[in-house]
Amino acid sequence: MKTHREIAEQLDLFHSEPQAPGMIFWHPNGWELFRDIQEHMRRVYRRNGFEEVNTPVFMKKELWQTSGHMDMFAENMFFGGGKENIDEYVLKPMSCPAHILLFKRGVHSHRDLPLRLFEFGLVHRNESSGSLNGCLRARQFTQDDAHVFCCWSQAEAEICGFLQRAKQVYGDYGYHNLDVKISTKPEKALGSDEQWCRAQKLLDSACQIEGFNAEYQAGEGAFYGPKIEVSLTDSMGRRWQCGTIQFDFNLPERFDVQYANEQGEFERPVIMHQAMYGSIERWLGILLEVSQGNLPDWLHPVPVAIASGVNRATHLKSRVLWASTRLNKVFMWRACDAAP
């Protein structure tokens, strides 16, 4: 079995350099593949009521102090700044605090909810050099990072929507047996017992409604909320978490996030983090290893190879196959746009 890096070399997709450890240099074929994967998810998000945003990559340390990441995640963050303020800025490791700042730009009514935002956020995490592994473990990667702001009464429908999208998106890539797990409250956790119990029941109920026999991971939730994990297995049998939807009881309090309910009183919205691919780079790496380079026809950046010395008829046939594959890709995008 070839690794994703060996397949990438064979298909001329990407490579890494010692001058940028844990980061990817995309070749034309690889960048086309990356953009097609990205566009596939963009269309799914838009069709399901999400609005695309874009937020800065480099933001002041004070934002990450407010969010709590400085206390919990600083060793995995990159710091920098100008000549006078050497480490007053952070390369964002995730987009959550920035999306909350977007929400807080206006006064929101219950009529505005659910509000769904998504971003292909370029993030940086200071992974140890020994753990780096091509696309599967990188220091710079792109998340299909989405956040839903909603009322408690809307939360179950949002979770069901996530699971429905997971069936569709994963199925488009040939993954039909999804590994779904629910991670519950750890020993040290923020939020009330009532919040945790309510959220965990909603996650379980949504899995049952959508036909998933989810396995429980007791105590494996984050300190700020329980979650559903959707995982894939690579060619070496390693399990990688990709998709997730997760409650957050921490950030609404830290950023004083509010909306006006039906009585005109202010209360905290439910905030749910979610991603379908997780990291586009990791998703691509797993896909290469599982498929061994035999990618879906609609996605393959190199659908045919033309050998030297072929006759005119063979060359023409190859060009027709290439054009047909590219047209199929276009037709698939149009079908996605037309779907309800």
Side-chain angles (χ1 to χ4, degrees):
M1 298 287 283
K2 295 180 180 178
T3 68
H4 71 285
R5 285 177 290 187
E6 292 170 332
I7 298 168
E9 180 74 20
Q10 182 178 353
L11 297 179
D12 191 24
L13 301 179
F14 61 81
H15 78 282
S16 298
E17 292 282 356
Q19 292 84 353
M23 305 181 196
I24 303 298
F25 287 75
W26 294 100
H27 303 182
N29 287 338
W31 191 237
E32 180 183 349
L33 178 57
F34 182 99
R35 288 188 297 115
D36 283 343
I37 290 173
Q38 185 182 59
E39 186 62 22
H40 181 266
M41 196 65 240
R42 173 178 281 120
R43 292 172 184 272
V44 171
Y45 271 137
R46 285 179 173 171
R47 199 168 64 247
N48 285 271
F50 285 79
E51 299 176 282
E52 185 171 4
V53 298
N54 187 267
T55 59
V57 173
F58 208 39
M59 292 179 279
K60 282 189 173 183
K61 187 192 295 184
E62 63 190 48
L63 176 68
W64 308 98
Q65 290 169 333
T66 300
S67 69
H69 288 94
M70 286 299 299
D71 295 328
M72 306 295 295
F73 204 70
E75 64 182 19
N76 296 106
M77 294 159 68
F78 288 102
F79 297 87
K83 294 180 180 179
E84 297 180 357
N85 302 311
I86 297 176
D87 60 353
E88 288 302 307
Y89 286 78
V90 174
L91 276 171
K92 70 176 181 182
M94 64 277 294
S95 301
C96 327
H99 288 192
I100 289 176
L101 293 182
L102 285 171
F103 182 88
K104 285 174 64 68
R105 282 287 294 172
V107 177
H108 292 278
S109 160
H110 63 93
R111 296 184 185 88
D112 301 324
L113 306 183
L115 179 66
R116 308 179 184 98
L117 303 177
F118 82 95
E119 174 177 5
F120 292 108
L122 183 66
V123 300
H124 295 78
R125 298 185 184 176
N126 193 12
E127 302 282 357
S128 65
S129 58
S131 68
L132 300 178
N133 181 11
C135 285
L136 297 179
R137 181 75 69 180
R139 286 177 173 163
Q140 176 183 284
F141 54 93
T142 306
Q143 290 183 315
D144 61 316
D145 204 356
H147 293 89
V148 173
F149 300 80
C150 66
C151 310
W152 275 103
S153 60
Q154 299 167 326
E156 184 175 81
E158 293 300 316
I159 303 166
C160 287
F162 167 81
L163 292 171
Q164 291 164 11
R165 289 191 293 278
K167 292 178 190 176
Q168 175 202 334
V169 171
Y170 284 62
D172 288 341
Y173 289 89
Y175 304 121
H176 299 290
N177 299 314
L178 303 187
D179 182 11
V180 177
K181 292 181 170 61
I182 298 175
S183 299
T184 63
K185 186 178 181 181
E187 287 187 16
K188 295 182 179 180
L190 297 176
S192 67
D193 290 340
E194 180 184 359
Q195 286 177 311
W196 277 86
C197 183
R198 188 176 187 181
Q200 287 168 183
K201 285 182 178 179
L202 289 173
L203 293 174
D204 182 73
S205 174
C207 285
Q208 293 184 39
I209 291 171
E210 297 303 324
F212 288 103
N213 184 23
E215 176 186 340
Y216 268 81
Q217 297 185 124
E220 293 298 316
F223 71 93
Y224 52 82
K227 62 181 175 178
I228 287 175
E229 298 178 6
V230 182
S231 300
L232 295 177
T233 303
D234 66 17
S235 59
M236 297 178 64
R238 295 170 299 189
R239 180 174 166 270
W240 297 93
Q241 179 191 318
C242 295
T244 184
I245 184 166
Q246 183 162 18
F247 284 84
D248 193 321
F249 307 135
N250 175 49
L251 294 182
E253 295 290 336
R254 284 183 171 271
F255 284 92
D256 191 25
V257 185
Q258 298 181 340
Y259 74 96
N261 63 22
E262 294 182 9
Q263 292 72 43
E265 300 170 342
F266 287 103
E267 61 179 89
R268 303 272 186 242
V270 173
I271 295 181
M272 287 187 283
H273 308 265
Q274 59 180 286
M276 192 60 63
Y277 295 144
S279 156
I280 295 181
E281 287 82 354
R282 177 178 291 178
W283 178 271
L284 194 156
I286 295 170
L287 182 64
L288 289 176
E289 294 203 359
V290 171
S291 69
Q292 287 295 289
N294 185 24
L295 299 170
D297 290 341
W298 63 269
L299 186 64
H300 206 304
V302 192
V304 296
I306 300 176
S308 60
V310 296
N311 59 38
R312 181 177 178 82
T314 302
H315 177 81
L316 179 61
K317 182 178 180 182
S318 296
R319 297 304 297 167
V320 170
L321 285 171
W322 182 88
S324 175
T325 302
R326 306 308 296 169
L327 284 172
N328 284 340
K329 185 179 291 188
V330 172
F331 289 143
M332 180 178 180
W333 293 147
R334 289 178 178 171
C336 285
D337 280 340

